Amino acid sequence: MQFAHDTVESLEFAVDLGNTDPAASRSGTDELATLDQLSDFIAGYPFSGRIDGDERERLDVLRARDEVRLVWTLDRDAAALQVNAMLAEARAMPYLARHDASDWHLHATTPDAPLGERLRVEASLALMDVIRMDEMRRLRSCEADDCAGLILDLSRNGSKRFCSARCGSRMNMIAFRKRKGAGAQD
């Protein structure tokens, strides 16, 4: 399995966006609860185009986050329908663009489209590759009991189970304590 570099970047962004949700974030809170948090989050990525910085935009980004998170829970056919719906709603029309320090890459909205719409389309374009390549198994949720973090598993054997080392360590410690407790009772 080999995704194109820009597909991987877009999928990693989708994971980062999805993991700002309170059920998935490291802080346990909504990491896009304020305009400042949204601004800080977006500043970490090379987005070009319109950024309004208002509450309406923040709410639309939250909607984008929810729609992207939904795809991680769907089977391949349902994911295709969801991705198609996101692209259709945005009236996406793919075209090649080159700007700033970026070489030719794919866009499907105009630079003046709302940020939330651009985020949905960006994620959708990358998710199209996952669906076409029949690699939905690479999109999973964290297996930690109290975490809903998204995982993009790019490992060779597709065996990643946790969204972070923190979740993996915590679950390993719980399993260790259960084994140790069971051994003490024998």
Side-chain angles (χ1 to χ4, degrees):
M1 180 271 323
Q2 183 76 31
F3 293 120
H5 178 71
D6 58 338
T7 296
V8 171
E9 285 182 344
S10 294
L11 290 170
E12 288 172 342
F13 171 78
V15 167
D16 291 347
L17 175 64
N19 287 343
T20 64
D21 183 89
S25 71
R26 289 185 180 191
S27 67
T29 63
D30 186 342
E31 294 181 348
L32 297 178
T34 68
L35 294 175
D36 286 342
Q37 288 175 309
L38 175 59
S39 178
D40 290 346
F41 178 75
I42 293 300
Y45 301 92
F47 277 100
S48 59
R50 171 181 157 195
I51 297 178
D52 298 334
D54 60 18
E55 184 63 12
R56 182 177 180 181
E57 179 174 75
R58 189 186 72 80
L59 293 174
D60 193 33
V61 169
L62 294 181
R63 181 175 151 233
R65 177 181 72 189
D66 292 345
E67 290 182 17
V68 167
R69 285 184 60 79
L70 174 63
V71 174
W72 257 252
T73 68
L74 301 174
D75 65 32
R76 185 178 184 212
D77 291 343
L81 292 174
Q82 175 67 16
V83 165
N84 285 342
M86 289 190 292
L87 291 169
E89 182 183 346
R91 294 176 301 287
M93 182 167 296
Y95 64 94
L96 290 169
R98 181 168 54 189
H99 53 82
D100 307 320
S102 300
D103 198 4
W104 289 108
H105 58 282
L106 200 57
H107 278 240
T109 59
T110 62
D112 64 336
L115 178 62
E117 180 176 293
R118 293 195 331 269
L119 299 182
R120 280 188 291 280
V121 169
E122 175 90 10
S124 294
L125 292 174
L127 289 163
M128 285 172 57
D129 284 345
V130 174
I131 294 165
R132 286 184 322 105
M133 294 173 72
D134 197 13
E135 292 287 351
M136 288 297 294
R137 63 190 169 85
R138 301 290 179 168
L139 310 180
R140 292 194 294 283
S141 294
C142 184
E143 291 183 20
D145 294 338
D146 59 347
C147 182
L150 301 182
I151 298 172
L152 170 62
D153 186 356
L154 298 176
S155 67
R156 186 176 301 257
N157 63 0
S159 61
K160 190 171 180 181
R161 297 176 50 215
F162 302 106
C163 67
S164 67
R166 186 173 138 240
C167 280
S169 295
R170 190 173 70 251
M171 294 309 295
N172 287 336
M173 183 54 70
I174 290 169
F176 172 76
R177 287 179 180 155
K178 277 186 181 178
R179 285 192 306 272
K180 188 176 178 183
Q185 295 174 354
D186 291 339

